[in-house]
Amino acid sequence: MFPGICPRVTSCGAFWILSAVVLAVSVIDVKAYSCHEVRTAFQLRQVGPLHRVPETPGTDVDLLVCKHHGLSCCTRKMEESYQFAVRRETLHNIHSYSYELEHLISGHSDAFQDMFQYLLSFSQGHLSSLLEGTYSPLSRHALPHVNQLFSSLSLYLRGANVSVETTVHHFFNNLFPLVYMRLINPGIESSMMAGSDMNDCLRMIRQDVNPFGPHPAIMAQELAGAMAVGRQLGLALEEGLEVMNATEHVSLSKECVKGLVKMVYCSHCRGLTLIKPCVGYCLNVMRGCLASVSELDQPWRRYTSLLEQLTHAMAGHHSLELALLGVRGHVNEALLYAQLHGPLITATVDKVCGLSTGKPTTPEVTTSTVTSLTPLPSVAPSHPLPEQWLGQLAHLRSSSPLKPSKNNKHSLRTLSREFLMYLQRYKSFFAALPEMLCEGENVVDDSTCWSGDGVVESYTGRVVGNGLHAQRQNPEVKVRTPNPTLAEVKERLESFNQETQETFPKLGQLDPWEELGSGETEEGSTTECDDEDGCQASGDGPEKTSHTKVFTEGKPIERQPEGGSPVGNPAKPPSVRVIGGSSSASWPKPWSLVLFLAALCLQWTLF
């Protein structure tokens, strides 16, 4: 009996044991392929609604990007969320890398404009103090014209369509009636019929009569040359900001987004939430996505080179600072010139405007009418002026220009050095952007990494270079057409570079800062009065003015001492040398030498 029962019991036990094993294996298999880690990563990275992630893997034939044979924790809805998330994350990463460069450009653009306004304000106060202290009869009426002059110069440096030459000549046109009636002929207003017609006549004939000598033209040329570089630098920084704004808001193509999803999130579908892409694989995807951005590399390198050259031209020789500080000296020389030639100016104006008779003629004066009259002398007048008068005017030349405090290290040159130091890091920004996005925690270069299709020991695909042309061989992202927005940005940047080079053809020929000056170090000059302080000369007398080169659209000119005409200027009458106002006036004359010898002889006789 027992032997018959035992075989049945044995076979029955084996059946239940086998069933238990199959059930245990099924439970373990389901637990091993749970989508719990995928749900966690989906939630932490804020990809989308959590209910889109299944609890357990399955098969979804609707997958478009993350297709593979076997079970998957992804669905079609998850792919849509992945596409939205990867687009957001990539643009955020691009912005995080470009933010520092954008901040560098915008911050220094504001800093340069603030420095320009400081220099303008300093020069304006410098000129106003001269008029109030030395030319008080006309200062109250001249100050509004001074304000207008520097307001126009400020607009020019900010990029407005303003002509520096026209602004300077307009200032001297408005200054001439005041000089004529309050300095050359004080009290003439009370003895004649004054009116707007007389002032208009004086303004219109100012450039023909030339009462201020060559000084308005010299001042206009120096300001135009130095300020043109500063203005172009401001415009260049604005152009750079436009380029950065365009790249930050670049749109990613559908092919790019699919490649990014495959690189970043398709591994999650298999439960591999911690695996990182291979370096070469990441470079191919990013270079394909940023192919149009990389096309900006060459024009951007040229642009940063022009920024360096503009900064050198503006601050290397202190051209802008010296030109603005020189406004006071040019106006002072112009007023002296008018006072010294007062009688001839009066005679010329009287013939044209008839101011002395109170019957002004029509202010429509032609050049031939004025030039047919007695011209102003180009050198000293034929009839010598009284020595006493010359002596009273001589002290006006000795007013030395103010200079910024030595404690103020925030000079234009210091600001420029700081800007150029930071700029060096970003010359190859657009070419290096794909590499920057594939650095650090985003990729791994270990023994195992994600290749887009599975886990491999190393990426075996061909790694392509930057630019649209190189993407023809890209195995990961197909680039069909260039981005039209970035193509327009590239064209505009190339056009700006070309216009800048044509406007300033000799930018690259300026001397490096290290070769400028003598005894200058990175911390400043070793002398007490150095170029960093804005000094114009390092001598005792006001006539020891340094020969300062001023850059003017590809043609450097040289500001000569004694207020002479710059090299390359049209021939104009030089300023009159005031006796007693220069170093040459201190040399002994023959009669004084005779008196000195006589005194020595008398002393020898007495002793």
Side-chain angles (χ1 to χ4, degrees), residues 82-92 251-253 257:
Y82 281 145
Q83 290 183 20
F84 177 81
V86 80
R87 186 191 304 269
R88 180 193 63 206
E89 292 168 358
T90 303
L91 292 177
H92 173 75
S251 60
L252 302 178
S253 66
V257 173

Side-chain angles (χ1 to χ4, degrees), residues 482-503:
N483 186 296
T485 302
L486 293 178
E488 182 181 352
V489 171
K490 177 185 177 182
E491 182 179 355
R492 188 170 65 244
L493 184 59
E494 289 175 339
S495 176
F496 179 84
N497 293 341
Q498 183 66 26
E499 291 175 1
T500 302
Q501 190 63 54
E502 291 176 354
T503 306

Side-chain angles (χ1 to χ4, degrees), residues 243 293-306 427 430 486 489-497:
V243 173
V293 175
S294 299
E295 287 293 308
L296 294 172
D297 178 54
Q298 290 303 320
W300 180 260
R301 289 175 186 268
R302 180 58 187 147
Y303 165 78
T304 55
S305 177
L306 288 174
K427 283 188 173 183
F430 291 106
L486 293 178
V489 171
K490 177 185 177 182
E491 182 179 355
R492 188 170 65 244
L493 184 59
E494 289 175 339
S495 176
F496 179 84
N497 293 341

Side-chain angles (χ1 to χ4, degrees), residues 36-108:
H36 174 72
E37 293 184 0
V38 179
R39 290 173 61 86
T40 302
F42 198 87
Q43 184 177 18
L44 290 176
R45 301 181 73 161
Q46 300 180 353
V47 177
L50 188 60
H51 65 81
R52 293 186 175 182
V53 185
E55 293 288 345
T56 58
T59 58
D60 193 338
V61 295
D62 295 330
L63 290 176
L64 297 178
V65 181
C66 300
K67 294 180 179 181
H68 73 281
H69 301 289
L71 299 178
S72 173
C73 286
C74 290
T75 63
R76 177 69 179 275
K77 290 293 185 181
M78 288 178 64
E79 275 192 345
E80 294 176 358
S81 298
Y82 281 145
Q83 290 183 20
F84 177 81
V86 80
R87 186 191 304 269
R88 180 193 63 206
E89 292 168 358
T90 303
L91 292 177
H92 173 75
N93 291 336
I94 292 175
H95 177 72
S96 65
Y97 282 106
S98 62
Y99 172 78
E100 185 177 352
L101 175 56
E102 183 181 4
H103 180 70
L104 168 69
I105 296 176
S106 63
H108 280 85

